[in-house]
Amino acid sequence: MPIDPTLNRLLTALEVAPHAFSVCRIQSGWRMSFPVFKAVTVHFVLRGSGHVQAGERAPVPFAPSSVLVVPALQPHWVGDADVTAATGAAADKCELIGDGLVEFTAGNGADDTLLLCAALSAPDQAALGLFDLMRWPVADDRAASGVPAAIIDAMRHEVTNAGLGTQAMCQALMKQALITLLRRHWSQADRSSVLDALHHPRLARAIAAIIEQPGANHSVGSLADLAGMSRASFSDHFSRTFGQGPIDFVQKARLRVAARLLRVTDLPIKAIAQSVGYGGSRPFSRAFEATYAMLPSAYRLAPLPSPIHPDDADQSSASHRSSRLTASLSNP
């Protein structure tokens, strides 16, 4: 089936940038609990089966080679769903492996279930991630999603032989797998998984316009016209689908583009403000500070955030590294 041109436009405009941060080994009869992360979390199941449960939703089953996607700001667990299952917190038992991956263990170290885990979004990356629009967790079967078995096999090989370049290689494999998953789900007749939020084709046209041209003079009326809907119907559908109004969505997209430009260019703040649709640096600075808790000039100079902060110390400091990892990924 041909790829929907709207999806091709979205994939071109968006960056799917997984940051591999851990390998999780879960013994049979155990589950691993994760705290509230400010980033969308993805677990690639390299071995085993079980359930994933996030927020207040019922546990979702998964099989070997599944891709588990958990929305931001929801605590979750992965593993045995039985009420008698033991629970191990991710940060309780860990060590640093390879060149930046942290290994979490629930149980005695047996990897009856083996996961490779990544965080997807960061405030200064591309304008918006498709996965950021998710409102509920999914467990996607690899075969049904079209992700080649060779990708999962390569991930398993990297984890088993962790060393120099493992993290970078895993991230490249993850990116390929996630883009394949997005493309397959968009083209399927039963669009009931990762892209549920975008399966309203008229809303998708408006989203594509915002992401491709965040600095354009978007209004509820202009976006409703793109969607072929009345203003009232468009606003209602948009708010119910994305949990925010269309103009709030526009502002967030603009500010995320601006944050990226502040990081990767030396453009004057006034030029960045104008490029993303603000009339001047003063209103832009006010909006930016309200969202990022600092002025654009301070944000440009601030250290880059990273979900991984490996220490140079030996394995005895693993719990300290893990607590820093959890703090940096978690939303306060």
Side-chain angles (χ1 to χ4, degrees), residues 63-67 139-149 152 180-181 184-185 188:
S65 298
S66 291
V67 182
D140 231 302
D141 179 77
R142 176 205 55 80
S145 300
V147 178
I152 302 297
T180 301
L181 186 152
R184 176 60 63 93
H185 275 286
Q188 284 178 339

PDB file of all heavy atoms in Angstrom, residues 63-67 139-149 152 180-181 184-185 188:
ATOM      1  N   ALA A  63       4.720  -9.903  23.500  1.00  0.00           N
ATOM      2  CA  ALA A  63       5.368 -11.148  23.098  1.00  0.00           C
ATOM      3  C   ALA A  63       6.824 -10.867  22.774  1.00  0.00           C
ATOM      4  O   ALA A  63       7.252  -9.710  22.729  1.00  0.00           O
ATOM      5  CB  ALA A  63       4.642 -11.725  21.875  1.00  0.00           C
ATOM      6  N   PRO A  64       7.634 -11.923  22.535  1.00  0.00           N
ATOM      7  CA  PRO A  64       9.017 -11.691  22.123  1.00  0.00           C
ATOM      8  C   PRO A  64       9.087 -10.808  20.877  1.00  0.00           C
ATOM      9  O   PRO A  64       8.266 -10.944  19.976  1.00  0.00           O
ATOM     10  CB  PRO A  64       9.540 -13.103  21.833  1.00  0.00           C
ATOM     11  CG  PRO A  64       8.698 -13.992  22.677  1.00  0.00           C
ATOM     12  CD  PRO A  64       7.339 -13.358  22.688  1.00  0.00           C
ATOM     13  N   SER A  65      10.042  -9.891  20.857  1.00  0.00           N
ATOM     14  CA  SER A  65      10.270  -8.957  19.751  1.00  0.00           C
ATOM     15  C   SER A  65       9.219  -7.849  19.657  1.00  0.00           C
ATOM     16  O   SER A  65       9.170  -7.133  18.667  1.00  0.00           O
ATOM     17  CB  SER A  65      10.367  -9.688  18.404  1.00  0.00           C
ATOM     18  OG  SER A  65      11.466 -10.573  18.416  1.00  0.00           O
ATOM     19  N   SER A  66       8.380  -7.696  20.684  1.00  0.00           N
ATOM     20  CA  SER A  66       7.431  -6.584  20.694  1.00  0.00           C
ATOM     21  C   SER A  66       8.166  -5.269  20.938  1.00  0.00           C
ATOM     22  O   SER A  66       9.287  -5.237  21.447  1.00  0.00           O
ATOM     23  CB  SER A  66       6.379  -6.783  21.795  1.00  0.00           C
ATOM     24  OG  SER A  66       5.512  -7.848  21.516  1.00  0.00           O
ATOM     25  N   VAL A  67       7.500  -4.173  20.561  1.00  0.00           N
ATOM     26  CA  VAL A  67       7.978  -2.829  20.858  1.00  0.00           C
ATOM     27  C   VAL A  67       6.973  -2.196  21.798  1.00  0.00           C
ATOM     28  O   VAL A  67       5.802  -2.041  21.446  1.00  0.00           O
ATOM     29  CB  VAL A  67       8.121  -1.986  19.579  1.00  0.00           C
ATOM     30  CG1 VAL A  67       8.675  -0.602  19.910  1.00  0.00           C
ATOM     31  CG2 VAL A  67       9.005  -2.684  18.555  1.00  0.00           C
ATOM     32  N   ALA A 139       1.737  -2.115  23.083  1.00  0.00           N
ATOM     33  CA  ALA A 139       2.699  -3.200  22.926  1.00  0.00           C
ATOM     34  C   ALA A 139       2.527  -3.694  21.496  1.00  0.00           C
ATOM     35  O   ALA A 139       1.557  -4.362  21.170  1.00  0.00           O
ATOM     36  CB  ALA A 139       2.432  -4.322  23.929  1.00  0.00           C
ATOM     37  N   ASP A 140       3.457  -3.323  20.639  1.00  0.00           N
ATOM     38  CA  ASP A 140       3.339  -3.579  19.215  1.00  0.00           C
ATOM     39  C   ASP A 140       4.131  -4.810  18.827  1.00  0.00           C
ATOM     40  O   ASP A 140       5.332  -4.878  19.087  1.00  0.00           O
ATOM     41  CB  ASP A 140       3.861  -2.373  18.441  1.00  0.00           C
ATOM     42  CG  ASP A 140       2.876  -1.900  17.414  1.00  0.00           C
ATOM     43  OD1 ASP A 140       2.530  -2.730  16.550  1.00  0.00           O
ATOM     44  OD2 ASP A 140       2.439  -0.753  17.487  1.00  0.00           O
ATOM     45  N   ASP A 141       3.469  -5.764  18.191  1.00  0.00           N
ATOM     46  CA  ASP A 141       4.162  -6.948  17.710  1.00  0.00           C
ATOM     47  C   ASP A 141       5.100  -6.573  16.573  1.00  0.00           C
ATOM     48  O   ASP A 141       4.702  -5.905  15.619  1.00  0.00           O
ATOM     49  CB  ASP A 141       3.138  -7.988  17.239  1.00  0.00           C
ATOM     50  CG  ASP A 141       3.806  -9.232  16.715  1.00  0.00           C
ATOM     51  OD1 ASP A 141       4.275 -10.038  17.529  1.00  0.00           O
ATOM     52  OD2 ASP A 141       3.878  -9.386  15.475  1.00  0.00           O
ATOM     53  N   ARG A 142       6.358  -6.997  16.671  1.00  0.00           N
ATOM     54  CA  ARG A 142       7.348  -6.602  15.675  1.00  0.00           C
ATOM     55  C   ARG A 142       6.952  -7.048  14.271  1.00  0.00           C
ATOM     56  O   ARG A 142       7.026  -6.272  13.309  1.00  0.00           O
ATOM     57  CB  ARG A 142       8.716  -7.192  16.018  1.00  0.00           C
ATOM     58  CG  ARG A 142       9.760  -6.881  14.948  1.00  0.00           C
ATOM     59  CD  ARG A 142      10.877  -7.886  14.939  1.00  0.00           C
ATOM     60  NE  ARG A 142      10.438  -9.262  14.799  1.00  0.00           N
ATOM     61  CZ  ARG A 142      10.090  -9.846  13.653  1.00  0.00           C
ATOM     62  NH1 ARG A 142      10.105  -9.169  12.528  1.00  0.00           N
ATOM     63  NH2 ARG A 142       9.705 -11.096  13.621  1.00  0.00           N
ATOM     64  N   ALA A 143       6.518  -8.294  14.134  1.00  0.00           N
ATOM     65  CA  ALA A 143       6.198  -8.808  12.813  1.00  0.00           C
ATOM     66  C   ALA A 143       5.046  -8.023  12.190  1.00  0.00           C
ATOM     67  O   ALA A 143       5.085  -7.651  11.017  1.00  0.00           O
ATOM     68  CB  ALA A 143       5.847 -10.288  12.901  1.00  0.00           C
ATOM     69  N   ALA A 144       4.003  -7.740  12.991  1.00  0.00           N
ATOM     70  CA  ALA A 144       2.855  -6.999  12.476  1.00  0.00           C
ATOM     71  C   ALA A 144       3.240  -5.567  12.128  1.00  0.00           C
ATOM     72  O   ALA A 144       2.643  -4.945  11.252  1.00  0.00           O
ATOM     73  CB  ALA A 144       1.722  -7.005  13.496  1.00  0.00           C
ATOM     74  N   SER A 145       4.239  -5.038  12.809  1.00  0.00           N
ATOM     75  CA  SER A 145       4.650  -3.659  12.570  1.00  0.00           C
ATOM     76  C   SER A 145       5.602  -3.530  11.395  1.00  0.00           C
ATOM     77  O   SER A 145       5.916  -2.421  10.969  1.00  0.00           O
ATOM     78  CB  SER A 145       5.339  -3.097  13.826  1.00  0.00           C
ATOM     79  OG  SER A 145       4.461  -3.133  14.918  1.00  0.00           O
ATOM     80  N   GLY A 146       6.095  -4.659  10.903  1.00  0.00           N
ATOM     81  CA  GLY A 146       6.996  -4.610   9.762  1.00  0.00           C
ATOM     82  C   GLY A 146       8.441  -4.344  10.120  1.00  0.00           C
ATOM     83  O   GLY A 146       9.271  -4.136   9.233  1.00  0.00           O
ATOM     84  N   VAL A 147       8.791  -4.330  11.404  1.00  0.00           N
ATOM     85  CA  VAL A 147      10.183  -4.120  11.805  1.00  0.00           C
ATOM     86  C   VAL A 147      10.968  -5.392  11.486  1.00  0.00           C
ATOM     87  O   VAL A 147      10.626  -6.476  11.971  1.00  0.00           O
ATOM     88  CB  VAL A 147      10.294  -3.793  13.303  1.00  0.00           C
ATOM     89  CG1 VAL A 147      11.756  -3.628  13.700  1.00  0.00           C
ATOM     90  CG2 VAL A 147       9.506  -2.531  13.636  1.00  0.00           C
ATOM     91  N   PRO A 148      11.995  -5.317  10.662  1.00  0.00           N
ATOM     92  CA  PRO A 148      12.727  -6.531  10.274  1.00  0.00           C
ATOM     93  C   PRO A 148      13.317  -7.261  11.481  1.00  0.00           C
ATOM     94  O   PRO A 148      13.818  -6.630  12.416  1.00  0.00           O
ATOM     95  CB  PRO A 148      13.841  -5.993   9.361  1.00  0.00           C
ATOM     96  CG  PRO A 148      13.319  -4.686   8.852  1.00  0.00           C
ATOM     97  CD  PRO A 148      12.503  -4.117   9.985  1.00  0.00           C
ATOM     98  N   ALA A 149      13.270  -8.585  11.424  1.00  0.00           N
ATOM     99  CA  ALA A 149      13.839  -9.389  12.501  1.00  0.00           C
ATOM    100  C   ALA A 149      15.324  -9.113  12.660  1.00  0.00           C
ATOM    101  O   ALA A 149      15.867  -9.202  13.768  1.00  0.00           O
ATOM    102  CB  ALA A 149      13.599 -10.876  12.217  1.00  0.00           C
ATOM    103  N   ILE A 152      16.075  -6.480  15.349  1.00  0.00           N
ATOM    104  CA  ILE A 152      15.987  -6.993  16.722  1.00  0.00           C
ATOM    105  C   ILE A 152      17.178  -7.897  17.021  1.00  0.00           C
ATOM    106  O   ILE A 152      17.765  -7.841  18.105  1.00  0.00           O
ATOM    107  CB  ILE A 152      14.663  -7.748  16.935  1.00  0.00           C
ATOM    108  CG1 ILE A 152      13.461  -6.832  16.646  1.00  0.00           C
ATOM    109  CG2 ILE A 152      14.581  -8.298  18.354  1.00  0.00           C
ATOM    110  CD1 ILE A 152      13.340  -5.637  17.553  1.00  0.00           C
ATOM    111  N   THR A 180      10.051   2.625  10.851  1.00  0.00           N
ATOM    112  CA  THR A 180       9.342   1.538  10.172  1.00  0.00           C
ATOM    113  C   THR A 180       7.986   1.307  10.821  1.00  0.00           C
ATOM    114  O   THR A 180       6.961   1.142  10.133  1.00  0.00           O
ATOM    115  CB  THR A 180      10.169   0.246  10.227  1.00  0.00           C
ATOM    116  OG1 THR A 180      11.433   0.461   9.607  1.00  0.00           O
ATOM    117  CG2 THR A 180       9.447  -0.896   9.520  1.00  0.00           C
ATOM    118  N   LEU A 181       7.947   1.319  12.151  1.00  0.00           N
ATOM    119  CA  LEU A 181       6.699   1.106  12.881  1.00  0.00           C
ATOM    120  C   LEU A 181       5.694   2.207  12.562  1.00  0.00           C
ATOM    121  O   LEU A 181       4.515   1.937  12.292  1.00  0.00           O
ATOM    122  CB  LEU A 181       7.001   1.059  14.384  1.00  0.00           C
ATOM    123  CG  LEU A 181       5.879   0.720  15.352  1.00  0.00           C
ATOM    124  CD1 LEU A 181       6.479   0.061  16.592  1.00  0.00           C
ATOM    125  CD2 LEU A 181       5.105   1.959  15.779  1.00  0.00           C
ATOM    126  N   ARG A 184       4.343   1.829   8.929  1.00  0.00           N
ATOM    127  CA  ARG A 184       3.439   0.677   8.764  1.00  0.00           C
ATOM    128  C   ARG A 184       2.071   0.974   9.383  1.00  0.00           C
ATOM    129  O   ARG A 184       1.041   0.682   8.779  1.00  0.00           O
ATOM    130  CB  ARG A 184       4.058  -0.565   9.396  1.00  0.00           C
ATOM    131  CG  ARG A 184       3.160  -1.805   9.374  1.00  0.00           C
ATOM    132  CD  ARG A 184       2.788  -2.199   7.951  1.00  0.00           C
ATOM    133  NE  ARG A 184       3.952  -2.564   7.160  1.00  0.00           N
ATOM    134  CZ  ARG A 184       4.379  -3.821   7.039  1.00  0.00           C
ATOM    135  NH1 ARG A 184       3.735  -4.801   7.632  1.00  0.00           N
ATOM    136  NH2 ARG A 184       5.437  -4.075   6.309  1.00  0.00           N
ATOM    137  N   HIS A 185       2.063   1.573  10.555  1.00  0.00           N
ATOM    138  CA  HIS A 185       0.776   1.815  11.198  1.00  0.00           C
ATOM    139  C   HIS A 185      -0.051   2.859  10.473  1.00  0.00           C
ATOM    140  O   HIS A 185      -1.274   2.793  10.455  1.00  0.00           O
ATOM    141  CB  HIS A 185       0.973   2.210  12.661  1.00  0.00           C
ATOM    142  CG  HIS A 185       1.106   1.020  13.549  1.00  0.00           C
ATOM    143  ND1 HIS A 185       0.041   0.225  13.885  1.00  0.00           N
ATOM    144  CD2 HIS A 185       2.185   0.454  14.124  1.00  0.00           C
ATOM    145  CE1 HIS A 185       0.457  -0.766  14.646  1.00  0.00           C
ATOM    146  NE2 HIS A 185       1.758  -0.654  14.803  1.00  0.00           N
ATOM    147  N   GLN A 188      -1.805   1.028   7.548  1.00  0.00           N
ATOM    148  CA  GLN A 188      -2.714  -0.074   7.830  1.00  0.00           C
ATOM    149  C   GLN A 188      -4.159   0.418   7.860  1.00  0.00           C
ATOM    150  O   GLN A 188      -4.450   1.539   8.277  1.00  0.00           O
ATOM    151  CB  GLN A 188      -2.369  -0.735   9.165  1.00  0.00           C
ATOM    152  CG  GLN A 188      -1.137  -1.624   9.091  1.00  0.00           C
ATOM    153  CD  GLN A 188      -0.785  -2.218  10.437  1.00  0.00           C
ATOM    154  OE1 GLN A 188      -1.187  -1.706  11.474  1.00  0.00           O
ATOM    155  NE2 GLN A 188      -0.031  -3.294  10.419  1.00  0.00           N
TER     156      GLN A 188
END
